[in-house]
Amino acid sequence: MDFELHYSEGQEEFRKEVWTWLEANVPRFDLSSDGAKQSMAARQGAADFRRKLGTKGWLAPNWPKEYGGGGLSLAETIVIDEELSQWDVASTGDLGLSLGAPAIMVWGTEEQKKRFLPPILKGEITTWQCFTEPEAGSDLASLKTRAEWNGSEYVINGQKIFIGSPFPPDYIYTLAVTDPEAPRHRNIGAFIIPAKSPGVTIQPLKLIAGGGRNTIFYDNVRVSPDQLIGGKTDGWRVAQSTLEVEHGGGGRVVARDQVVDDLLAYYKEAKRSGKPLSRDSHIKERLVDLYIQSEIGRLFGLRGYWMRATKTRLVGYEGSQNALHGKKYFVNLATILLEVLGPTALVDDPKWAPLKGNLEYYQRFAACQHQGGTPEIQKVIIARRMGVSRTRETAAAMV
Amino acid sequence: MDLSLNEMEQLVKNTARDFAERECPIEIVRGLDESESGFSPQIWQKMAEMGWAGMILPEKYGGSGASLTALGVLCEELGRAIVPSPLHSSSVLCGLAILEGGTDKQKETLLPAVAAGERILALAFTEAGYGWDAASVHMSATPRNSRFILNGTKVFVHDALVADQILCVARTSQSQNAEDGITLFLVDKQSPGVNCYSLPGFAGEKFCEVSFDKVEVPEANVVGEVGKGWAILQPVLEKGTVVLCAYMVGGCHRIWESTLEYCRTRVQFGVPIGNFQRVQDHVIDIVNALDAARWTTYEALWKIDNGKPEVSKAVSLAKAVTSEAYHQACNSSHEVHAGTGLSKEYHLYLYTKKARTFYHYLGSPSYHRQRLAELLEL
Ligand SMILES: Cc1cc2nc3c(=O)[nH]c(=O)nc-3n(C[C@H](O)[C@H](O)[C@H](O)COP(=O)(O)OP(=O)(O)OC[C@H]3O[C@@H](n4cnc5c(N)ncnc54)[C@H](O)[C@@H]3O)c2cc1C
């Protein structure tokens, strides 16, 4: 076993190249982790940067070149990830890249891969994932959006909710019922639709966190059959290839949480009621606990990354386990921030907000751990994958 | 033994619930939350007309001399509907401090106005190193001629935006014992050198930075003896803490009700989500938190009203439990509500903000645990 990554001389040379390039190209403005607070200029800058990365092939470094990837090795991919993590460019924000592309890769025709993957992997377009409906959240399979075949096209009607990102979409990746007579899970199709199609209306939602979410209405949206990904009723399985990644199956190689280090440093310096905060043993214990949880999260991320990169199959619950850990972690983190920072944890004011500011976001983000499935649903999946549930289930196809 | 409300308390409860439903439904709370001052003079006026601003002040100062328990019952209902008002700052913290330490003249001029809701007071205690004990008071006040000059910054002051006067806790002398040398000053907010702005963020109160730049305060505005302010403040802070707890119990109660309602009406996989044991676990966490908060709070109120021993212990117990209970109840409720809970068109986030804001107000769970440790001689 070896927990360390090793690099050849050539790879270390490559690291220098990456570093030099990033130094010259990373946009220098504050990209708030809170999407709702990002300025238009910042978003544009992030989108431009995503495109530049994509043009170099570094957005999807180890994907094949013919589909817009970088054709690089795993080691080089990790080098890029590591170097990127040194910069504050967290959210170049395209779900299409992380979620849509893998499903197209598994399920798309050769023609579809050639058509949709390059613009996604080169960072030229933004894709939104439109699964959830008002009555179909955890129970996604009960979705009601209807795609009716009229002989030459599909005509889509329905409503989606909690969709999007602060970046306006070029394409939307959606699920709709193609065969209402067919049984559950075998009645759905997956479509990729230009966001500007007539009949698509996007209405912003007012949420306390998770900026840029919308309700989307489909009113007789016409979709040509070559925009159906997979077979007419393969949509559920197509979606599983996306959800497998979203449920944490993707993993991360650099998942050390900077906030924890900042918080530990703060604790050593700060005073509370005139006394060093470090004399508060209750807070000390809580911080050690946070440190432990963040290390477990880092290792779960590392394991997921290794599994995906080396196509190693373990039991199959690992992705959801990682997701569940992260969700609990962020709820806990918000409480600990509140305990350690006092009411300044709630403040979004440069004068009083501690550390690097912007931590107030975590208080809202704690309530926002439902994307890609609630904690309870992750537990349902873990139980099924371990074989201790009435329903047995194996991991979906994933790249 | 009788753990039920008496007739008068029950009447207060019913009246308050009707009032909140009629005068301050959640849409109004949301609107106020988004407004600059967070304050509705109309609602406050009506609350004062109900006699609530003077409820615990003596009759001779225009109040009705009710028990702290009765006020707790009222505040629980206000907290359930999260009715925003300066009641707690003005009548409880500042009103009681003046009653406790003020001269007859101060009481005669100030308290009737406070009881009528015509004058609003806010307590400026906490500073940059945020803490609620005497050692946390650093801001200085120096005598000059027959005045004091106040210099320094108070932060996280509740209700300062709408207050007419600030009861400012400052240090007039240094000594070994942090409790000595603290003096209370009643400062007109309009005085030259006083500045106040509310801090933006995820807060359920318009809490403010209030800065004092060479502010002159006449001697006549000192409340109590110079240097002896802590003795006045300490029991007042304890009473204020338990009344705040009652407000938070009301919040927990509403969260529990809403969560139950959502469990019964939200359907996934063909059944109400309350059928899922994992969801039930969250509701159970909420009700456990609620009941722990309720009973520790009401026992503390009862102990204060009846002059029972070990009030301090009961107060710290109640605040440690209730701060965590409200926080836990909101977190669990968010788990149950998933996406819906994030919507600004739904009410949960308003409670979540309150819970997080009151978590530290008048002492965090950690502060009260340490106090309990001392009281338990650990
Ligand atoms: C910020 C944010 C961003 C999002 N982005 C997207 C997006 O880009 N695209 C998209 O398609 N969707 C998106 N979503 C939607 C997200 O996937 C759903 O919110 C999530 O799946 C939960 O659905 P729900 O909110 O309807 O909750 P519900 O399904 O109604 O759940 C309510 C409660 O019931 C519990 N529950 C439900 N079923 C079970 C069960 N079988 N066993 C135990 N407990 C159960 C849940 O765990 C939860 O506690 C986003 C959501 C948020 C909050």
Side-chain angles (χ1 to χ4, degrees), chain A residues 19-52:
Chain A
W19 191 87
T20 313
W21 188 87
L22 288 176
E23 159 92 313
N25 288 286
V26 167
R28 299 291 202 279
F29 39 70
D30 182 31
L31 252 192
S32 167
S33 42
D34 180 3
K37 283 195 211 144
Q38 290 164 357
S39 69
M40 277 316 280
R43 274 181 220 170
Q44 189 55 49
D48 290 346
F49 178 65
R50 164 153 52 97
R51 190 172 305 118
K52 281 191 200 168

Side-chain angles (χ1 to χ4, degrees), chain A residues 95 128-140 161-165 207 209-211 213 246 367-377 380, chain B residues 262 266-269 273 276-279 282 334-340 342:
Chain A
L95 286 175
W128 283 4
Q129 175 198 318
C130 310
F131 289 2
T132 306
E133 298 182 3
E135 304 304 325
S138 301
D139 184 13
L140 182 60
I161 195 167
F162 298 124
I163 306 302
S165 74
L207 303 182
R213 304 290 157 178
E246 195 174 11
C368 194
Q369 302 306 314
H370 310 292
Q371 295 117 295
T374 65
E376 293 71 29
I377 292 303
V380 170
Chain B
Y262 198 71
R266 172 70 176 169
V267 172
Q268 288 288 279
F269 300 97
I273 58 170
F276 300 119
Q277 290 179 350
R278 290 205 172 94
V279 171
H282 292 306
H334 275 292
E335 299 288 357
V336 174
H337 283 85
T340 300
L342 295 174

Side-chain angles (χ1 to χ4, degrees), chain A residues 313-326:
Chain A
R313 288 264 156 173
L314 298 181
V315 182
Y317 62 77
E318 292 84 0
S320 282
Q321 182 186 44
N322 186 24
L324 176 63
H325 181 84

Side-chain angles (χ1 to χ4, degrees), chain A residues 134-139 162 184 206-209 271-275 280 282-283 331 334-335 338-339 342-344 346-349 351-352 360 363-364 366-368 370 374-377 379-380, chain B residues 34 128-133 135-136 138 153 155-156 197 199-203 207 209 266-270 278 282 327 331 334-335 338-340 342-345 349 356-357 359-360 366 369-370:
Chain A
E135 304 304 325
S138 301
D139 184 13
F162 298 124
R184 190 176 156 92
K206 279 166 89 186
L207 303 182
I208 56 165
K271 291 195 165 162
R272 181 68 36 80
S273 306
K275 282 172 276 180
D280 188 324
H282 170 68
I283 288 195
V331 174
T335 304
L338 196 61
E339 287 182 26
T344 56
L346 302 174
V347 165
D348 178 24
D349 177 291
K351 182 168 171 194
W352 291 103
E360 168 263 354
Q363 298 303 320
R364 295 177 281 125
C368 194
H370 310 292
T374 65
E376 293 71 29
I377 292 303
K379 290 182 185 171
V380 170
Chain B
E34 282 172 10
Y130 202 82
W132 283 95
D133 52 358
S136 301
H138 298 288
T153 302
V155 71
F156 304 110
Y197 81 98
L199 305 172
F202 192 60
F207 51 28
E209 176 194 304
R266 172 70 176 169
V267 172
Q268 288 288 279
F269 300 97
R278 290 205 172 94
H282 292 306
H327 186 71
N331 278 354
H334 275 292
E335 299 288 357
T340 300
L342 295 174
S343 172
K344 285 197 162 183
E345 271 140 42
Y349 81 99
R356 280 161 159 65
T357 306
Y359 191 81
H360 300 92
S366 168
R369 279 207 167 80
Q370 277 171 33

Side-chain angles (χ1 to χ4, degrees), chain B residues 60-373:
Chain B
K60 71 169 170 176
Y61 299 123
S64 41
S67 67
L68 212 59
T69 304
L71 182 69
V73 170
L74 168 69
C75 285
E76 183 187 331
E77 285 306 316
L78 298 178
R80 181 176 167 272
I82 41 176
V83 176
S85 84
L87 179 89
H88 184 262
S89 293
S90 192
S91 311
V92 184
L93 294 176
C94 297
L96 289 182
I98 290 163
L99 183 67
E100 194 87 18
T103 60
D104 284 343
K105 177 137 185 280
Q106 284 171 333
K107 289 190 234 180
E108 275 156 25
T109 50
L110 289 166
L111 292 182
V114 168
E118 288 157 8
R119 184 164 326 189
I120 297 174
L121 311 179
L123 177 72
F125 187 101
T126 48
E127 301 174 15
Y130 202 82
W132 283 95
D133 52 358
S136 301
V137 178
H138 298 288
M139 184 176 146
S140 78
T142 28
R144 186 185 300 160
N145 304 325
S146 56
R147 304 175 162 268
F148 282 85
I149 313 293
L150 268 58
N151 259 317
T153 302
K154 295 286 183 180
V155 71
F156 304 110
V157 180
H158 290 219
D159 298 306
L161 271 190
V162 298
D164 304 297
Q165 288 176 306
I166 309 276
L167 187 65
C168 182
V169 185
R171 203 162 270 291
T172 39
S173 61
Q174 302 292 336
S175 86
Q176 276 297 88
N177 182 352
E179 295 179 6
D180 293 336
I182 288 176
T183 306
L184 312 183
F185 296 93
L186 200 59
V187 186
D188 284 341
K189 214 174 73 191
Q190 303 307 329
S191 311
V194 177
N195 264 304
C196 172
Y197 81 98
S198 90
L199 305 172
F202 192 60
E205 291 278 315
K206 306 286 170 187
F207 51 28
C208 293
E209 176 194 304
V210 185
S211 58
F212 299 82
D213 180 21
K214 302 191 202 76
V215 177
E216 295 192 10
V217 184
E219 258 172 8
N221 280 21
V222 172
V223 176
E225 267 181 71
V226 173
K228 300 257 163 47
W230 186 252
I232 301 166
L233 215 47
Q234 209 264 340
V236 172
L237 289 177
E238 289 199 334
K239 288 180 185 165
T241 301
V242 197
V243 175
L244 179 74
C245 286
Y247 191 94
M248 295 166 83
V249 167
C252 290
H253 194 257
R254 179 80 179 90
I255 290 302
W256 176 57
E257 291 170 322
S258 306
T259 312
L260 283 179
E261 169 77 15
Y262 198 71
C263 282
R264 291 182 183 127
T265 50
R266 172 70 176 169
V267 172
Q268 288 288 279
F269 300 97
V271 293
I273 58 170
N275 284 30
F276 300 119
Q277 290 179 350
R278 290 205 172 94
V279 171
Q280 293 165 7
D281 279 345
H282 292 306
V283 190
I284 293 164
D285 284 345
I286 295 173
V287 81
N288 288 346
L290 164 65
D291 287 347
R294 172 180 302 289
W295 295 110
T296 52
T297 294
Y298 278 94
E299 190 183 40
L301 286 165
W302 171 80
K303 282 193 171 171
I304 294 174
D305 277 336
N306 294 283
K308 296 290 169 191
E310 306 206 305
V311 160
S312 297
K313 242 191 233 171
V315 170
S316 280
L317 171 71
K319 184 59 170 50
V321 168
T322 307
S323 278
E324 282 173 0
Y326 202 0
H327 186 71
Q328 176 66 55
C330 289
N331 278 354
S332 298
S333 187
H334 275 292
E335 299 288 357
V336 174
H337 283 85
T340 300
L342 295 174
S343 172
K344 285 197 162 183
E345 271 140 42
Y346 194 69
H347 58 269
L348 177 56
Y349 81 99
L350 292 163
Y351 289 81
T352 305
K353 291 211 287 188
K354 279 282 184 216
R356 280 161 159 65
T357 306
F358 289 160
Y359 191 81
H360 300 92
Y361 193 48
L362 298 171
S364 63
S366 168
Y367 168 77
H368 283 287
R369 279 207 167 80
Q370 277 171 33
R371 229 174 70 117
L372 269 178

